[in-house]
Amino acid sequence: MTDFTTSIDADGVAVITWDVPNKSMNVMSLEGFAALDTQIDAALADDAVKGIVITSGKKDFAGGMDLNVIAKMKEDAGDEPARGLFEGTMNMHGVLRKIERAGMDPKTNKGGKPIASALPGTAVGIGLELPLSTHRIFAADNPKAKIGLPEIMVGIFPGAGGTTRLVRKMGAMAASPYLLEGKLLAPTAAMRAGLIDEVVADPVAAAKEWVLNAKDADILKPWDAKGYKMPGGTPYHPAGFMTFVGASAMVHGKTNGVYPAAKALLSAVYEGAQVPFDTALKIEARWFTNVLMNPSSAAMIRSLFINKEALDKGAVRPDVADETVKKVGVLGAGMMGAGIAFVSAKAGINVVLIDNSQEAADRGKGYAEGILDKGIKRQKVTPEKKDAVLGLINATTDYAALADCDLIVEAVFEDMGVKAEVTKKTEAIIPEDAIFATNTSTLPITGLAKASARPDQFIGIHFFSPVDKMMLVEIIKGRETGDRAVAKALDFVRQIRKTPIVVNDARFFYANRCILPYANEGIRMIAEGVEPAMIENAATLVGMPVGPLQLTDEVSIDLSAKILRATRDGMGDAYVASPSDDIIESMEADGRLGRKANAGFYEYDDKGKRTGLWSGLGEAHAAAEEQPDLTEVQHRLLFAQALEAVRALEEGVLMDIREGDVGAILGWGFAPWSGGPFSWLDILGAAKAVEVCDALTAKFGERFTTPALLRDMADKGETFYGRFAPAKAA
Ligand code: NAD
């Protein structure tokens, strides 16, 4: 069985079909590349073959490179991983360049065999880089298909010639949304943008016809022809100069310099634009190797690709029978309930959406309608799809409608009494074997389970707001939660295409436990006289998506105050007061409740747009004459989060560091360049982390106390991913 096979038709067209055995989507492996190479060699050498069409045996063309290959290339090269990566990459270039040159005479550029690609559906990553090396790209008119180069999203860049070819094909400026932002397009839009050539009903037939009629000039790439000029100009052309200066500033502005891939990509483009094509490929390979050797890229690939996929596929699912959800009952049609109902119906699940009044239930369903209408406006949703999704949501006040639900997700007010009442009322109606989940963000699952007659079937399924955008779902096991409830929750999360993590019950579970200290650390710095702008900039410069003050404004100051009071009451004498408490409570008293009030740590205009930090902050808390060192501020902000993650692991709340890292990036945007808190500590090194923590503890207090686990790892010279290797993890 091989990934590529060839059949030659009566007209002399060799159709090379990519069809990786036992996979629903083609992904490229080293063996795949070797098989492609063999088939291309054979077709080029065969006199009976007049032209070649490369297509797929599946409904899509390809989902990209199997990124495990990168780890393998590194490993196989032993002491010289960079050499292994560079040579492996150059080998890929060799195969694709052979396709591009197609046997042409190097001097006359004549005599090559036309090669076209025929894409039935999605073609991303290497799935587009391979077609880009062919002479013409035909795609099926399949609006669901996605075409593009999303590598940058996992911390690398297109390194199989996609970067060099796209820039030479469309110019650096035009290529930048696809290379730098990983923008994906449906086929028609991809054709208009110039990523592919034609959208047709039958791409294989069209490609066959084209290769049979193509002339020498049709198959010569512009960059291989005499007098080629790069569209938009090279870096030393006046127009090109403007592009490159602007792009450099823009990339730095967007990434704050913490994403090595964006910088390396830009370098590959800048340097590659000034040399002949084959040298440009070599430069691309060098920068690609450089990125792959960077610990940040390796950590991003591990968390955002390998481990995320493992979790999506149920890496931590208990071994119990299929628990696919058929009908879900959502209790409470407020902000969260409405979102949960929408994502469930969108996944084709029947939904009963309950609230106290018909009006509130209808409003919840209206939320789904609003999102679908927006989708129709943007041509992402058809009116039929809208009707189908809305048709799955039964908005009602009648609990009897829950009678045949196999899963309940409760999202009523955050109140123990109200939740206990709806739990009892619902359990009296639902089937004996149904699973009851609560979406609480602060109340212990074990405590809420006391209202349940079947605590082994009671679990937490914690969504993040806004539900339709946030990809993480935290599943929380109460003390008595059984395996079937965990499996049900995981199967539900898989159905709605989000990423799950499973944690044990503890105050604030995992994500909120880590993010609250981040916000508080930022706010307490104000009390110490640190410039608010410095606090915010330190955070974004180290890769946090928003600073702690902006985050608090988004969450709302009154919610922060509510959480603070509940924590203080819940912890009693164990609660350690913080200067941030006073700031939160005084802002609440002054009605500066954050974004929703158009006033918080920031000022806002009438449209709710942030206009700058609130000038009144400086009056209440004068900035100290001497400002702290930037790195110290950044360490405080990152360690405030990372130490909670380590404590959650030590306490057994977190059971798998992969979940800790993936959850941190998807849940609250922990500096994605680092791969998550555990990856970040590994990059820093346990010994250095201990040194910083000890210094922070001496200067700022006990909250930075080095966890025993971290100290032990420093003593033994261990890393988190070494000590908690996935084999050991669940
Ligand atoms: P919300 O106030 O917007 O909605 C709650 C809804 O529940 C209201 O429509 C209310 O009418 C309804 N309700 C109250 N009692 C009811 C009852 N007895 N029967 C049926 N419906 C009833 O609140 P929300 O922000 O959607 O939060 C809901 C839950 O989700 C809370 O437990 C909250 O802690 C949790 N949560 C919220 C967020 C967030 O960012 N807002 C994030 C994660 C989890």
Side-chain angles (χ1 to χ4, degrees):
M1 297 258 260
T2 158
D3 292 3
F4 289 87
T5 49
T6 305
S7 69
I8 301 172
D9 72 6
D11 297 322
V13 178
V15 177
I16 299 181
T17 303
W18 191 0
D19 199 349
V20 181
N22 307 321
K23 288 223 164 168
S24 57
M25 173 73 99
N26 287 327
V27 286
M28 189 63 96
S29 61
L30 292 179
E31 296 74 28
F33 243 107
L36 171 65
D37 194 21
T38 309
Q39 303 297 322
I40 288 288
D41 278 343
L44 287 176
D46 187 343
D47 288 340
V49 170
K50 298 193 178 67
I52 301 168
V53 172
I54 302 176
T55 189
S56 154
K58 308 203 188 287
K59 73 177 177 30
D60 290 307
F61 186 66
M65 192 83 180
D66 178 353
L67 292 179
N68 290 297
V69 164
I70 292 168
K72 190 153 184 324
M73 283 204 277
K74 256 187 192 170
E75 262 173 45
D76 287 353
D79 290 346
E80 293 190 288
R83 177 179 294 279
L85 290 168
F86 179 72
E87 286 173 358
T89 307
M90 284 310 290
N91 190 38
M92 289 195 286
H93 283 323
V95 178
L96 298 186
R97 189 69 174 132
K98 182 161 42 184
I99 292 173
E100 190 159 56
R101 295 296 295 160
M104 276 175 228
D105 182 294
K107 288 214 175 84
T108 63
N109 282 331
K110 291 194 188 328
K113 285 185 187 176
I115 306 181
S117 26
L119 319 177
T122 289
V124 293
I126 188 77
L128 179 60
E129 292 183 286
L130 164 57
L132 282 171
S133 73
T134 66
H135 306 127
R136 198 156 181 88
I137 308 174
F138 296 86
D141 188 7
N142 172 358
K144 283 200 177 140
K146 290 193 164 74
I147 295 188
L149 300 166
E151 284 87 342
I152 198 84
M153 309 301 285
V154 290
I156 55 176
F157 69 83
T163 297
T164 302
R165 287 196 174 86
L166 204 64
V167 167
R168 283 211 167 30
K169 194 173 156 87
M170 55 208 297
M173 184 72 112
S176 66
Y178 312 106
L179 296 175
L180 279 170
E181 292 164 29
K183 190 172 174 187
L184 302 178
L185 298 175
T188 310
M191 179 183 67
R192 276 195 218 115
L195 291 174
I196 60 169
D197 301 301
E198 288 189 45
V199 175
V200 292
D202 184 344
V204 174
K208 277 185 178 183
E209 196 183 326
W210 186 85
V211 296
L212 286 173
N213 294 300
K215 308 274 179 297
D216 281 336
D218 296 330
I219 70 168
L220 182 66
K221 287 291 172 69
W223 44 91
D224 285 327
K226 273 217 175 72
Y228 166 74
K229 284 209 164 52
M230 202 171 107
T234 54
Y236 289 113
H237 181 278
F241 181 76
M242 299 303 287
T243 304
F244 280 89
V245 171
S248 182
M250 189 192 81
V251 166
H252 199 82
K254 279 199 176 171
T255 64
N256 285 316
V258 290
Y259 290 91
K263 242 176 163 172
L265 165 72
L266 213 55
S267 300
V269 171
Y270 176 84
E271 293 168 21
Q274 304 174 57
V275 293
F277 187 78
D278 287 299
T279 315
L281 286 182
K282 210 183 261 183
I283 289 173
E284 186 193 287
R286 286 206 192 288
W287 279 112
F288 191 53
T289 304
N290 176 286
V291 160
L292 296 178
M293 289 300 295
N294 188 302
S296 155
S297 296
M300 280 180 81
I301 291 173
R302 185 175 59 204
S303 290
L304 292 173
F305 180 79
I306 298 171
N307 290 342
K308 177 181 174 298
E309 197 172 270
L311 296 177
D312 289 347
K313 286 189 175 160
V316 296
R317 189 183 186 281
D319 190 15
V320 296
D322 180 44
E323 284 289 342
T324 299
V325 176
K326 289 169 203 76
K327 191 166 186 179
V328 62
V330 180
L331 311 181
M335 187 167 89
M336 298 304 286
I340 298 165
F342 168 65
V343 297
S344 305
K346 199 174 78 168
I349 304 172
N350 266 299
V351 181
V352 179
L353 179 58
I354 300 249
D355 210 300
N356 279 331
S357 69
Q358 188 60 40
E359 197 193 344
D362 288 341
R363 208 179 312 123
K365 183 169 174 177
Y367 174 79
E369 190 167 5
I371 299 183
L372 291 162
D373 281 339
K374 259 193 216 154
I376 291 180
K377 252 193 206 150
R378 290 199 209 127
Q379 295 186 317
K380 297 234 159 147
V381 175
T382 60
E384 296 75 41
K385 173 82 182 170
K386 173 186 160 184
D387 291 346
V389 172
L390 291 180
L392 288 173
I393 304 178
N394 172 14
T396 178
T397 57
D398 183 9
Y399 275 63
L402 300 170
D404 55 350
C405 286
D406 51 320
L407 173 70
I408 299 295
V409 182
E410 169 276 304
V412 300
F413 296 138
E414 188 74 338
D415 180 288
M416 205 84 181
V418 177
K419 286 192 191 291
E421 191 195 315
V422 300
T423 306
K424 291 205 170 83
K425 201 165 155 189
T426 305
E427 281 190 353
I429 289 157
I430 54 176
E432 286 259 311
D433 60 353
I435 302 295
F436 190 106
T438 172
N439 180 47
T440 182
S441 36
T442 56
L443 303 169
I445 305 302
T446 309
L448 289 173
K450 292 207 172 99
S452 168
R454 313 159 193 146
D456 59 321
Q457 289 167 224
F458 193 97
I459 194 163
I461 302 185
H462 181 215
F463 283 86
F464 295 82
S465 175
V467 177
D468 59 307
K469 297 234 167 69
M470 296 296 286
M471 293 315 292
L472 185 73
V473 178
E474 202 170 19
I475 294 170
I476 305 113
K477 283 163 68 169
R479 203 171 301 136
E480 294 182 60
T481 302
D483 278 355
R484 208 170 60 75
V486 176
K488 183 74 146 188
L490 283 168
D491 288 355
F492 177 53
V493 174
R494 175 181 44 77
Q495 283 172 275
I496 58 174
R497 293 169 165 269
K498 295 197 184 283
T499 297
I501 61 169
V502 180
V503 300
N504 280 313
D505 197 13
R507 188 180 296 281
F508 301 134
F509 317 133
Y510 175 60
N512 286 344
R513 171 188 184 144
C514 297
I515 194 70
L516 287 168
Y518 167 67
N520 288 341
E521 196 63 29
I523 297 167
R524 77 190 289 156
M525 286 184 203
I526 299 176
E528 293 169 17
V530 181
E531 284 277 8
M534 172 149 192
I535 301 166
E536 296 291 86
N537 288 337
T540 49
L541 282 171
V542 80
M544 291 300 295
V546 290
L549 308 181
Q550 187 185 334
L551 176 77
T552 310
D553 268 11
E554 303 284 341
V555 169
S556 89
I557 308 273
D558 49 331
L559 181 59
S560 303
K562 207 172 143 200
I563 293 172
L564 154 69
R565 283 190 284 269
T567 314
R568 198 157 48 198
D569 292 349
M571 290 179 71
D573 291 345
Y575 185 78
V576 183
S578 158
S580 58
D581 299 355
D582 301 336
I583 296 185
I584 288 281
E585 288 190 315
S586 80
M587 301 258 305
E588 185 194 29
D590 291 346
R592 293 198 72 88
L593 303 184
R595 173 190 279 289
K596 66 178 182 190
N598 259 11
F601 288 110
Y602 281 83
E603 284 165 355
Y604 299 82
D605 66 16
D606 298 345
K607 291 190 182 113
K609 194 169 173 264
R610 267 177 296 112
T611 53
L613 281 152
W614 176 42
S615 51
L617 264 181
E619 286 159 27
H621 305 276
E625 205 143 287
E626 202 170 318
Q627 288 294 305
D629 171 64
L630 178 71
T631 307
E632 181 184 273
V633 175
Q634 291 177 326
H635 276 157
R636 288 176 68 177
L637 293 174
L638 287 190
F639 271 105
Q641 305 166 68
L643 288 181
E644 278 309 325
V646 176
R647 287 178 198 129
L649 180 69
E650 269 185 325
E651 292 164 17
V653 173
L654 201 59
M655 290 170 277
D656 184 328
I657 54 168
R658 295 178 298 176
E659 294 180 293
D661 273 352
V662 174
I665 298 179
L666 299 187
W668 75 93
F670 182 95
W673 64 265
S674 70
F678 295 102
S679 293
W680 178 65
L681 290 169
D682 276 357
I683 291 173
L684 205 62
K688 173 76 182 169
V690 167
E691 186 191 312
V692 177
C693 279
D694 286 348
L696 291 177
T697 309
K699 196 162 171 188
F700 299 105
E702 299 299 309
R703 64 191 182 284
F704 290 108
T705 302
T706 306
L709 171 62
L710 192 60
R711 203 175 286 284
D712 185 52
M713 285 172 46
D715 289 344
K716 294 179 177 150
E718 288 178 338
T719 60
F720 281 100
Y721 278 85
R723 180 161 170 151
F724 300 97
K728 242 198 267 174

